[in-house]
Amino acid sequence: MTEDTPFPTQNRSPQDWWPEMLDLSALDQNARDAGPYDDDFDYAEAFESLDFEQVKDDIESVMTDSQDWWPADYGHYGPLFIRMAWHSAGTYRTTDGRGGASGGTQRFAPLGSWPDNANLDKARRLLWPVKQKYGRKLSWADLIVLAGNVALESMGFDTFGFAGGREDEFEPDASTDWGPENEMESWDRFDEDDQLADHLGATVMGLIYVNPEGPEGEPDPEWSADRIRQSFSRMAMNDKETAALIAGGHTFGKVHGADDPDEHVGPEPAAAPIEDMGLGWESDYGEGKGDDTITSGIEGPWNSTPTMWDTSYIDNLLEHEWEPEKGPGGAWQWTPVDADEIEDAPEAHGDGTQTPMMLTTDVALKKDDDFRAIIEEFQNDPMEFLDAFAKAWYKLIHRDMGPPERFLGPEVPDETMIWQDPLPDRDFEPIGDEAAEQLAEELLDSDLSRSQLVKTAWAAAATYRDSDKRGGANGARIRLEPQRSWGVNEPAELETALETYEEIKAEFNESRSDGTAVSLADLIVLGGNAAIEQAASEAGYDVDVPFEPGRVDAEDEWTDEESFEALELDSDGFRNYVGGEHDRKLEELLVDKADLLDLSPEEMTVLVGGLRTLGATYGDSDRGVLTDDTDTLDNDFFVNLLDMQYDWEQADEAGQVYEGYDRETGEQVWEATRFDLIFGSNDRLRAIAEVYASEDGEEQFVQDFVDAWHKVMTLDRFDLE
């Protein structure tokens, strides 16, 4: 070992050597628990045992106890805690439901070391005494967000409510694609029409939303307004909610740019030396804290009352003219043209005063006609402003938590919002075992094939996204727009299936006088279960697919059609469906969908094999159906996929479709896609497939398929927990 290499270099992973190898790390996370808590730990039970008011009192005590190692602006950490909570929740995007406050992943790289999160490491360290006191009863994920709520309340704002229930992760999320750039604060994510790449939420690598200086560092308010609208809409906010969040958030605190960060600020936490103990952004400017703090490089407060809820931010923005200038940190910010007429703010740490400033993103609200109309309404009606910010903030910090059944604590509002995908209360007794058997027989005796029964159940359940707990079979929204018209659901065939389900449902419910009824949602799942049991029986296996009745049917008025568009599948490897063009390989799309379904590599493998064997493919295509008998749940898919009797050749220019030829006769026998062949070509997936393809592996395949199927059918059954 030489002086230049005091420690051995880390072993390279196969991914380092072969970057094109399929990455299964997201599914590996689903297959294991990374944290220190045992399987018996129930976070909901632990959280409910808290003295919630005492927790809030403890947070407020921290908030007003300024520490010399990181002194509080204006003697109050509230604005810092609001920024921390906002930046934790604000990573959410509707496109795939990933990001958000759940998991407390702001504690880990890359989020914890993003430029936009500079000095939020200090906020979390300030909260450590509270976390230390309550331990596992209060997750970091809940504490970070709750601190933002308490901060707002401590400065005179009435919040709409708070729900706990966010469990901590103990490693960063391997599934989230934060963008294509190779360096922070760059912007290679827009097309020639200045449209943000489909799956992203932030407009700039390393920022939560948009560049506060303006797009690509240009102080252009109109351009900034367009970027704001794109980014906030990707995070489920309309124009009114967006304006309320910006105006409400910027009512408090200040930004920090005492000097140029490039000249004085050290590395972020992920790159900081070990003796800094996980803190980053150490500054050598002055004292490096207090009035010498450098965070964004922009300097100043927005108003004269930075620790009080009022309309002074809006008043300053609308009643004064603003012009761009480079501030002391070398960044673009806006100064009032009539500086003598605007009320100064107190210095954050001294006895002097500061002139308020604005960001380009603030001036954008004034220059854009639609945003301006909204903030003028807020100025004229302060109670409307308060209500709009309260509900938008509540939505921001809870958007990724799913339905209200998951919400914990004494401050959960009675009102359910449409963005929570509400379901009606069940006003009937769910069916029992005898009725379920009767209905299963009727479904099997109907005109629907087994593959139709399986596909319909899969189409309903596979909308689920574990990232934000949306979608799933409960609610039977597959019968409502937009889901019933999605291409992946084969609308014409689905219409036929739904007619059959509706007839069976109506006939059964009309025949009962004991208050028992079946929902369409239950019937759809029951149909898939019955088809699988019958197909397993054909293969010689007597299996019971677990069925838990009690689902209900949603209605149009509580279904936000526009919001549900984000759940549409433009590919589904489980049904061998590809719609449109993709810049990722099909197998990568399959893994991405499997991750959203919270599946392990083994569960993904067995589900694809089972669905192929049952012929549950898009358009009833033969692609990937490597069997001659789709009425039987056997291991033919794996047996034939791994059989060296067949030689596979690419059949299309795009490299998506392949043909399997008999090596002896030269006859084409099979057709498949990359969704299928990956289980023979990838070493890890092949190892799993070999287990199921073995002569003694079929029974395990059938049982594992039933277990994985049941898991998917109940992913959204939070009422069972």
Side-chain angles (χ1 to χ4, degrees), residues 4-160:
D4 293 333
T5 57
F7 300 104
T9 56
Q10 186 178 15
N11 289 333
R12 285 181 170 269
S13 70
Q15 219 89 36
D16 294 327
W17 287 107
W18 297 282
E20 295 300 311
M21 178 177 284
L22 182 63
D23 184 3
L24 297 172
S25 58
L27 305 190
D28 289 334
Q29 285 187 319
N30 297 336
R32 58 177 166 78
D33 291 324
Y37 304 141
D38 58 43
D39 293 340
D40 294 332
F41 174 63
D42 186 334
Y43 178 64
E45 182 179 336
F47 180 89
E48 295 282 30
S49 72
L50 289 170
D51 181 337
F52 193 70
E53 287 305 315
Q54 183 60 56
V55 173
K56 293 179 66 174
D57 288 344
D58 290 342
I59 293 172
E60 187 157 8
S61 294
V62 166
M63 205 172 301
T64 53
D65 184 14
S66 183
Q67 302 294 312
D68 289 342
W69 63 268
W70 194 257
D73 293 341
Y74 315 107
H76 202 299
Y77 290 116
L80 177 65
F81 287 177
I82 290 171
R83 176 170 165 253
M84 173 186 62
W86 184 316
H87 284 212
S88 177
T91 54
Y92 174 81
R93 69 262 186 118
T94 58
T95 51
D96 58 11
R98 294 189 171 100
S102 294
T105 52
Q106 189 186 82
R107 298 171 294 148
F108 309 119
L111 299 181
S113 291
W114 272 6
D116 216 12
N117 287 333
N119 291 325
L120 290 181
D121 51 349
K122 320 305 190 294
R124 295 189 298 276
R125 292 297 172 89
L126 289 163
L127 279 173
W128 166 240
V130 179
K131 173 59 179 167
Q132 185 177 34
K133 176 179 178 179
Y134 293 104
R136 66 181 64 194
K137 295 180 181 179
L138 181 61
S139 68
W140 270 113
D142 276 342
L143 176 57
I144 287 169
V145 173
L146 178 58
N149 253 34
V150 174
L152 288 168
E153 292 168 353
S154 73
M155 294 185 288
F157 184 79
D158 293 326
T159 60
F160 187 72

Side-chain angles (χ1 to χ4, degrees), residues 586-629:
L586 296 190
E587 58 268 31
E588 293 173 345
L589 298 175
L590 173 62
V591 168
D592 187 72
K593 180 56 189 169
D595 175 62
L596 291 174
L597 290 172
D598 194 33
L599 301 177
S600 67
E602 294 78 13
E603 290 167 332
M604 177 183 74
T605 302
V606 78
L607 280 168
V608 169
L611 290 169
R612 294 293 188 277
T613 300
L614 294 171
T617 55
Y618 173 76
D620 298 323
S621 167
D622 289 334
R623 288 179 179 172
V625 182
L626 309 184
T627 182
D628 295 324
D629 183 6

Side-chain angles (χ1 to χ4, degrees), residues 365-383:
L365 299 182
K366 183 175 182 177
K367 297 295 185 181
D368 180 271
D369 290 342
D370 292 334
F371 281 136
R372 179 168 185 140
I374 294 167
I375 60 172
E376 285 178 344
E377 177 188 357
F378 291 160
Q379 185 183 40
N380 293 328
D381 188 348
M383 289 305 297

Side-chain angles (χ1 to χ4, degrees), residues 192-436:
E192 60 275 9
D193 297 321
D194 202 46
Q195 295 300 301
L196 184 60
D198 285 345
H199 64 289
L200 300 176
T203 64
V204 180
M205 171 57 77
L207 301 187
I208 303 300
Y209 292 101
V210 297
N211 190 336
E213 292 186 77
E216 302 180 18
E218 295 295 326
D220 184 331
E222 288 83 1
W223 191 8
S224 181
D226 181 65
R227 289 283 177 92
I228 289 170
R229 188 169 280 113
Q230 284 196 55
S231 182
F232 275 73
S233 67
R234 295 287 179 88
M235 299 181 187
M237 300 296 171
N238 60 30
D239 275 6
K240 186 172 184 178
E241 292 165 329
T242 299
L245 282 171
I246 295 174
H250 292 180
T251 294
F252 304 106
K254 68 184 292 289
V255 285
H256 302 81
D259 208 291
D260 188 346
D262 292 336
E263 296 291 331
H264 297 283
V265 178
E268 63 278 10
I274 193 170
E275 63 268 22
D276 286 354
M277 295 293 287
L279 292 179
W281 298 291
E282 184 175 354
S283 172
D284 64 10
Y285 179 77
E287 294 186 3
K289 57 189 178 181
D291 284 327
D292 295 328
T293 300
I294 301 173
T295 299
S296 64
I298 304 172
E299 172 59 33
W302 286 274
N303 56 35
S304 60
T305 54
T307 58
M308 181 188 301
W309 172 259
D310 55 25
T311 61
S312 56
Y313 164 86
I314 294 177
D315 296 337
N316 281 353
L317 179 61
L318 291 176
E319 294 173 7
H320 299 274
E321 290 303 316
W322 300 86
E323 60 184 359
E325 68 171 12
K326 286 289 184 76
W332 283 111
Q333 57 189 77
W334 293 67
T335 189
V337 174
D338 53 348
D340 293 339
E341 298 181 19
I342 196 168
E343 185 175 355
D344 283 345
E347 283 186 337
H349 299 274
D351 297 327
T353 60
Q354 267 191 301
T355 301
M357 60 85 235
M358 290 287 164
L359 311 175
T360 300
T361 47
D362 297 311
V363 179
L365 299 182
K366 183 175 182 177
K367 297 295 185 181
D368 180 271
D369 290 342
D370 292 334
F371 281 136
R372 179 168 185 140
I374 294 167
I375 60 172
E376 285 178 344
E377 177 188 357
F378 291 160
Q379 185 183 40
N380 293 328
D381 188 348
M383 289 305 297
E384 174 63 19
F385 177 35
L386 186 151
D387 183 68
F389 178 63
K391 289 183 177 177
W393 175 262
Y394 179 78
K395 180 178 179 179
L396 171 74
I397 61 176
H398 295 90
R399 189 66 179 88
D400 63 330
M401 287 189 68
E405 291 95 328
R406 303 186 68 245
F407 288 21
L408 305 175
E411 294 187 0
V412 176
D414 293 332
E415 183 179 353
T416 300
M417 309 302 213
I418 194 168
W419 51 264
Q420 294 176 298
D421 305 335
L423 296 171
D425 293 332
R426 192 177 69 238
D427 58 359
F428 56 87
E429 285 297 316
I431 58 175
D433 292 343
E434 184 178 341

Side-chain angles (χ1 to χ4, degrees), residues 435-619:
E437 290 179 13
Q438 172 195 332
L439 288 165
E441 286 297 325
E442 290 185 36
L443 287 163
L444 291 172
D445 291 340
S446 72
D447 292 335
L448 299 179
S449 66
R450 290 181 196 168
S451 65
Q452 281 180 294
L453 293 170
V454 170
K455 278 201 298 183
T456 306
W458 181 265
T463 55
Y464 179 80
R465 304 192 309 194
D466 198 58
S467 53
D468 59 359
K469 310 299 189 285
R470 299 189 68 202
N474 200 1
R477 284 190 166 95
I478 194 171
R479 80 194 197 285
L480 306 176
E481 294 296 347
Q483 292 186 33
R484 72 184 300 154
S485 297
W486 287 349
V488 65
N489 289 340
E490 303 175 62
E493 182 176 301
L494 176 61
E495 192 72 27
T496 299
L498 290 175
E499 288 176 2
T500 299
Y501 286 114
E502 292 283 11
E503 290 173 5
I504 293 174
K505 171 190 169 182
E507 183 178 334
F508 177 84
N509 290 347
E510 288 170 5
S511 70
R512 301 298 291 243
S513 58
D514 58 357
T516 299
V518 66
S519 65
L520 197 72
D522 267 348
L523 203 56
I524 288 171
V525 173
L526 182 62
N529 288 7
I532 290 168
E533 289 177 352
Q534 192 174 65
S537 178
E538 295 281 355
Y541 303 103
D542 183 15
V543 298
D544 290 318
V545 182
F547 175 70
E548 296 88 355
R551 297 171 182 84
V552 295
D553 297 335
E555 300 300 335
D556 280 316
E557 58 265 27
W558 280 105
T559 299
D560 185 347
E561 186 173 336
E562 182 178 355
S563 174
F564 267 98
E565 290 287 7
L567 274 66
E568 182 175 5
L569 305 182
D570 56 7
S571 77
D572 183 8
F574 293 95
R575 281 176 279 181
N576 228 334
Y577 170 78
V578 183
E581 297 182 1
H582 299 275
D583 56 4
R584 302 167 68 187
K585 293 178 181 177
L586 296 190
E587 58 268 31
E588 293 173 345
L589 298 175
L590 173 62
V591 168
D592 187 72
K593 180 56 189 169
D595 175 62
L596 291 174
L597 290 172
D598 194 33
L599 301 177
S600 67
E602 294 78 13
E603 290 167 332
M604 177 183 74
T605 302
V606 78
L607 280 168
V608 169
L611 290 169
R612 294 293 188 277
T613 300
L614 294 171
T617 55
Y618 173 76

